[in-house]
Amino acid sequence: MDEQVTGPFRRWHHTHTFEPAHDGAATLMTDVVDFAAPCRPWARSPRSWSSSVT
């Protein structure tokens, strides 16, 4: 996990997970970012974003 210690965001956690895809011939990578923005309008609530790529 990557974690921001100091910087522009109030919180920033970034993780990658890897697992075999259903056919066994590829790898599924999941990219997850959990953050709290420093200013409005995004700062009102924590946000999460994720994506998957095969």
Side-chain angles (χ1 to χ4, degrees), residues 5-27:
V5 176
T6 60
F9 289 88
R10 291 186 298 138
R11 182 183 71 254
W12 180 274
H13 297 160
H14 177 222
T15 59
H16 291 104
T17 58
F18 299 89
E19 59 187 292
H22 60 75
D23 62 4
T27 301

